[in-house]
């Protein structure tokens, strides 16, 4: 089983053409917005995609008022009984950098030198910024003009899924079972699955939202939020001796006892951390907000025990002080839900290998739509989409990644029929 040169060429030109079109549509999401989707512009891309899915012969195409797009591809003849699978990508782009008026530029046959940006002389893109760029010498690289992000996160995923649909229509010899396509709004602000209709999705899905070519992620952080409230006692500072319990000052001492090595700025790969995000208050009362992250849930339990023990110690050290520690589980390492889905993961690995890429299993130092979906009972590992240095004006993608990810989708669908 392999994809012919003819189909590969089609996927490359189709996915690139779509990608260049989709990135020009402004779909930045907005965490401050209370509406759903958070920005109207996301509806514009969703509408376009639902029309294109209908033109490509997909059925039951839905573009709902929340901005979600759902569509079904009927199975090829003889594969009606194959399990249904889904492919998911998100419509929005990050607020970190402007996503308005993106003008993509193709740098043909990349020569290994610095890439310069016509609309921003202050930045350049080099192998020092992204070592993978060294592996992409000779390929065509797409960037923005340096004044916006590119939007490969996640319009690369959208274009790859759409190119696969175009491939299934044009080359009926490609075998597949029933397939569901879903595009989600507001992933970047953590709301991507909030209004998703589970009943429109199959029992198993894949997101196309990873970065480097070859990547497959089946693991993400186990995530906790912690709120620690210090209740002290304020007295006039001139007569405070043996009376004042200065909540904010004690809080800062308490927080200085967290191991410095376990912070985001000192950890990478599989190392977890405490991250203090906010400290506010006064002598009477102070509140610290933290997040705890690790791939092993027992390490996060140990961090919570440490915070609890420190609380007891500080209440002894400062009689009259009261500390309340509250912990909230935010999301779970999706590996917990994927461990029993070895077949689906093996098929994804095989589909990547069939495109002549090395499989790079990857642990996401964060969460994705797939994390939340896995918790909701739909196991959803994450496949590469190809965008690099995402959420940045230096964001780039090799055109080959757009082709390869589309190939992975076609391979994966065929592998499920065997
Ligand atoms: Zn993304």
């Amino acid at each position: 089983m392999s994809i012919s040169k003819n189909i590969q060429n089609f996927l490359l030109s189709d996915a690139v053409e779509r990608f260049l079109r989709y990135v020009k549509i402004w779909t930045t999401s907005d965490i401050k917005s209370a509406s759903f989707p958070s920005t109207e512009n996301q509806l514009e891309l969703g509408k376009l995609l639902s029309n294109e899915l209908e033109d490509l012969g997909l059925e039951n195409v839905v573009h709902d008022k929340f901005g979600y797009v759902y569509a079904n591809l009927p199975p090829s003849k003889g594969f009606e009984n194959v399990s249904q699978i889904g492919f998911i990508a998100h419509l929005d782009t990050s607020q970190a950098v402007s996503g308005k008026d993106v003008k993509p530029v193709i740098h043909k046959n990349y020569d290994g030198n610095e890439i310069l940006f016509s609309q921003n002389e202050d930045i350049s893109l080099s192998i020092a910024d992204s070592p993978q760029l060294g592996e992409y010498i000779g390929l065509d690289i797409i960037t923005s003009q340096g004044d916006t992000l590119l939007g490969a996160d996640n319009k690369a995923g959208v274009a790859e899924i759409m190119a696969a649909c175009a491939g299934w229509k044009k080359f009926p010899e490609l075998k597949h079972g029933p397939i569901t396509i879903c595009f989600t709004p507001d992933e970047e602000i953590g709301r991507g699955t909030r209004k998703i209709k589970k009943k429109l999705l199959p029992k198993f899905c894949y997101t196309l939202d990873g970065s480097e070519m070859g990547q497959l992620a089946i693991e993400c952080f186990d995530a906790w939020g912690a709120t620690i409230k210090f209740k002290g006692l304020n007295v006039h500072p001139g007569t405070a001796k043996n009376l004042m319990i200065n909540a904010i000052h004690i809080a800062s001492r308490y927080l200085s006892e967290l191991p410095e090595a376990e912070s985001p700025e000192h950890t990478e790969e599989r190392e977890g951390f405490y991250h203090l995000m906010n400290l506010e208050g006064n002598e009477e009362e102070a509140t610290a907000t933290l997040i705890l992250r690790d791939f092993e849930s027992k390490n996060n339990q140990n961090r919570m025990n440490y915070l609890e023990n420190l609380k007891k110690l500080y209440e002894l050290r400062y009689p009259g002080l009261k500390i309340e520690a509250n912990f909230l589980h935010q999301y779970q390492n999706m590996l917990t839900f994927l461990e029993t889905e070895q077949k689906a993961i093996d098929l994804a690995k095989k589909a990547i290998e069939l495109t002549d890429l090395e499989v790079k299993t990857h642990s996401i130092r964060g969460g994705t739509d797939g994390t939340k979906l896995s918790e909701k009972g739909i196991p959803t590992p994450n496949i590469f989409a190809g965008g690099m240095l995402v959420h940045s004006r230096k964001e780039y993608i090799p055109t080959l990644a757009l082709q390869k990810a589309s190939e992975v989708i076609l391979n994966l669908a065929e592998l499920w029929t065997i």
Side-chain angles (χ1 to χ4, degrees):
M1 185 188 123
S2 73
I3 305 253
S4 70
K5 192 79 202 141
N6 184 26
I7 299 179
Q8 286 177 338
N9 290 339
F10 170 80
L11 293 174
L12 176 66
S13 68
D14 191 85
V16 169
E17 183 275 324
R18 289 178 191 279
F19 178 72
L20 297 177
R21 248 179 334 110
Y22 301 156
V23 295
K24 288 178 192 152
I25 301 172
W26 181 25
T27 61
T28 310
S29 48
D30 177 8
I31 195 147
K32 292 208 180 96
S33 161
S35 56
F36 211 110
S38 67
T39 51
E40 287 269 317
N41 311 5
Q42 297 181 64
L43 295 171
E44 191 190 325
L45 179 58
K47 181 86 200 115
L48 174 78
L49 293 170
S50 48
N51 289 339
E52 292 186 357
L53 285 163
E54 265 171 9
D55 292 344
L56 290 171
L58 278 87
E59 296 176 352
N60 313 317
V61 179
V62 176
H63 182 215
D64 72 13
K65 64 175 180 185
F66 302 117
Y68 291 85
V69 177
Y70 307 88
N72 290 322
L73 181 75
S76 39
K77 221 173 167 37
F79 296 101
E80 290 79 8
N81 296 325
V82 169
S83 315
Q84 184 138 359
I85 54 169
F87 293 102
I88 301 174
H90 63 88
L91 300 163
D92 62 323
T93 58
S94 162
Q95 275 182 291
V97 177
S98 169
K100 189 168 183 247
D101 298 326
V102 174
K103 295 187 190 70
V105 180
I106 304 182
H107 307 266
K108 290 260 180 200
N109 195 8
Y110 174 59
D111 61 5
N113 291 322
E114 267 186 338
I115 292 178
L116 302 175
F117 296 91
S118 64
Q119 294 304 313
N120 192 338
E121 291 175 2
D122 298 336
I123 57 166
S124 66
L125 169 63
S126 69
I127 294 169
D129 296 313
S130 174
Q132 288 87 351
L133 196 54
E135 298 165 23
Y136 301 157
I137 292 174
L139 300 183
D140 295 348
I141 306 288
I142 311 178
T143 67
S144 73
Q145 291 188 335
D147 50 345
T148 64
L149 50 63
L150 175 63
D153 179 10
N154 191 214
K155 284 161 186 164
V158 174
E160 290 150 3
I161 292 171
M162 293 299 289
C165 292
W168 282 314
K169 181 176 159 84
K170 192 172 168 72
F171 303 99
E173 68 269 30
L174 292 166
K175 301 187 194 97
H176 60 87
I179 307 262
T180 299
I181 305 298
C182 176
F183 297 125
T184 61
D186 290 338
E187 190 270 355
E188 294 289 358
I189 55 170
R191 301 178 197 164
T193 59
R194 203 175 275 181
K195 304 236 183 236
I196 206 161
K197 291 189 186 76
K198 242 182 85 177
K199 65 176 194 307
L200 295 183
L201 294 178
K203 289 198 178 66
F204 200 93
C205 292
Y206 299 91
T207 45
L208 272 284
D209 194 16
S211 57
E212 190 184 354
M213 268 192 278
Q215 226 178 46
L216 175 67
I218 54 170
E219 207 183 2
C220 65
F221 274 145
D222 173 60
W224 287 83
T227 310
I228 302 172
K229 197 176 267 183
F230 301 79
K231 292 182 171 172
L233 182 75
N234 199 9
V235 184
H236 187 286
T239 55
K241 186 167 180 181
N242 297 333
L243 288 172
M244 185 194 282
I245 305 169
N246 187 340
I248 192 156
H249 206 165
I250 294 171
S252 66
R253 278 184 213 117
Y254 174 103
L255 293 162
S256 73
E257 314 253 13
L258 302 185
E260 202 181 333
E262 292 180 37
S263 61
E265 58 271 42
H266 292 296
T267 50
E268 61 181 358
E269 297 186 354
R270 294 187 56 79
E271 298 164 332
F273 55 76
Y274 299 84
H275 175 42
L276 173 65
M277 302 203 304
N278 192 50
L279 171 63
E280 61 185 17
N282 51 30
E283 300 92 331
E284 272 287 289
E285 193 172 291
T287 304
T289 315
L290 297 98
I291 57 171
L292 314 178
R293 297 288 187 266
D294 209 285
F295 291 101
E296 303 293 334
S297 60
K298 70 170 190 322
N299 292 345
N300 277 338
Q301 289 300 334
N302 288 341
R303 288 191 181 93
M304 287 184 269
N305 289 341
Y306 182 83
L307 293 170
E308 286 282 3
N309 286 332
L310 210 51
K311 162 184 134 82
K312 286 181 203 146
L313 181 69
Y314 268 62
E315 284 176 344
L316 282 174
R317 182 169 159 185
Y318 301 101
L321 172 75
K322 278 269 161 294
I323 303 179
E324 287 170 10
N326 283 301
F327 301 104
L328 179 75
H329 198 201
Q330 295 170 322
Y331 55 87
Q332 198 167 339
N333 185 343
M334 64 180 170
L335 186 66
T336 329
F337 309 101
L338 292 175
E339 268 170 339
T340 50
E341 306 291 339
Q342 203 50 49
K343 178 192 163 197
I345 291 160
D346 288 345
L347 292 182
K349 287 183 180 164
K350 189 138 188 243
I352 294 172
E353 281 164 3
L354 280 169
T355 66
D356 293 323
L357 291 172
E358 182 197 335
V359 179
K360 295 175 181 167
T361 29
H362 172 72
S363 304
I364 313 170
R365 289 178 67 79
T368 63
D369 271 352
T371 311
K372 302 260 172 62
L373 276 178
S374 298
E375 270 186 19
K376 287 175 190 248
I378 302 175
T380 307
N382 189 26
I383 295 171
F384 70 92
M388 304 296 290
L389 299 179
V390 298
H391 302 193
S392 152
R393 287 187 296 252
K394 297 189 183 191
E395 186 184 2
Y396 72 95
I397 185 170
T399 58
L400 183 67
L402 292 161
Q403 175 202 318
K404 291 282 188 187
S406 311
E407 277 186 62
V408 169
I409 297 170
L410 298 183
N411 285 333
L412 196 43
E414 180 156 356
L415 286 166
W416 274 82
T417 66
I418 298 171

